[in-house]
Amino acid sequence: WRAWAELNPDTARRFGIAHGATIRVSSRVASIDVVATLVDRTPPAAPVRRLERALIAVAAQSNPKAQETLSDVLTASLSQRLTDLRLMLEAAPVTLDSLPDGLRRAWVAADGQARIEVFPKGDTRRNDVIARFVAVAGLLLITLRRLRVVALVLTPLLLAGLLSLITCVVIGLPLNFANIIALPLLLGIGVAFDIYFVMNWRAGLAGPLQSSTARAVLFSALTTTTAFGSLALSRHPGTAGMGALLSMGLFYTVLCTLVVLPALLGQVKPRA
């Protein structure tokens, strides 16, 4: 330990190791403190400094059990990390035949048909890229060309979203990363329902609830609700929660479309 003490004089003094002395120190304590010394060379604001404080605190205790627990926590995944590193160093070209059977069956059917996924162009982790695809209101404004008409389309959807959130609070259904995706989906579906009624109203067609549009919207909503409702029967909590929220939100969307929207539209004005 003399060479170690010469390289780490401050640490050696904290453990009572004089310069040139030969003294037995717990190998675990010495290892912990060596790691703390390496961490000490990082910038002062680095988050890893919390690890340094924890290491110094444990090393200063004469508690072998705490030291052993810390060692187990820090090295529990070391074997797997080394295995992953070995596999990365042995990287080779990937072909369809070299893929695991389970992964290959998930993407290529027995008859040779392949599943595809389509993603937006650009890095979707960046907010400015995502913002280009959050454009429902912009598309409505381009199509309808009047802010008042756009507001008529979106108001029932905002009310449906508010009713869905209130119901979630009442029944104790929490919002999480698994089911929050239901809200933008409901926005897209709701716009598809509302805009038909608004376009009929602008075209001068009276009696929206007696029209074939209302029946088409109702049957389309029933079909979609059946599909969403099947997700609520899943054993996976996240999938089940998403299915419940989608079904509930779609119910309120159809309700607001068939009840609130006609009231907002009012009487049909004769076209010039």
Side-chain angles (χ1 to χ4, degrees), residues 52-246:
E52 177 196 14
R53 292 192 294 269
L55 291 170
I56 293 175
V58 172
Q61 299 175 4
S62 56
N63 188 344
K65 185 172 180 59
Q67 298 165 6
E68 182 178 358
T69 301
L70 177 63
S71 177
D72 293 340
V73 169
L74 294 178
T75 61
S77 61
L78 180 59
S79 177
Q80 182 60 44
R81 295 298 177 88
L82 292 176
T83 300
D84 295 340
L85 179 60
R86 177 179 56 81
L87 292 176
M88 286 188 290
L89 294 176
E90 297 176 356
V94 178
T95 63
L96 190 61
D97 295 331
S98 65
L99 293 176
D101 291 338
L103 180 61
R104 185 168 56 251
R105 286 196 301 268
W107 289 89
V108 181
D111 58 359
Q113 294 186 359
R115 189 182 76 179
I116 63 172
E117 286 189 0
V118 180
F119 298 95
K121 183 180 179 180
D123 187 359
T124 54
R125 294 172 296 182
R126 294 173 48 186
N127 291 334
D128 57 334
V129 175
I130 296 177
R132 295 201 296 265
F133 296 90
V134 186
V136 173
L139 291 175
L140 287 175
L141 187 59
I142 295 174
T143 303
L144 302 176
R145 300 181 182 179
R146 291 189 179 180
L147 288 175
R148 177 175 177 271
V149 181
V150 173
L152 289 175
V153 175
L154 295 180
T155 298
L157 304 181
L158 297 178
L159 178 59
L162 180 61
L163 291 174
S164 301
L165 294 178
I166 293 174
T167 306
C168 287
V169 174
V170 173
I171 67 177
L173 179 63
L175 292 177
N176 50 49
F177 288 108
N179 60 23
I180 196 66
I181 193 177
L183 297 181
L185 287 176
L186 292 174
L187 180 63
I189 296 174
V191 166
F193 291 165
D194 290 358
I195 198 169
Y196 296 133
F197 288 97
V198 173
M199 296 302 291
N200 288 346
W201 175 73
R202 294 185 68 180
L205 300 178
L209 297 182
Q210 288 76 36
S211 66
S212 59
T213 302
R215 293 191 295 273
V217 168
L218 178 61
F219 288 125
S220 176
L222 291 176
T223 303
T224 308
T225 303
T226 302
F228 288 160
S230 64
L231 296 178
L233 304 178
S234 172
R235 294 183 179 181
H236 187 273
T239 304
M242 183 175 63
L245 184 57
L246 283 170

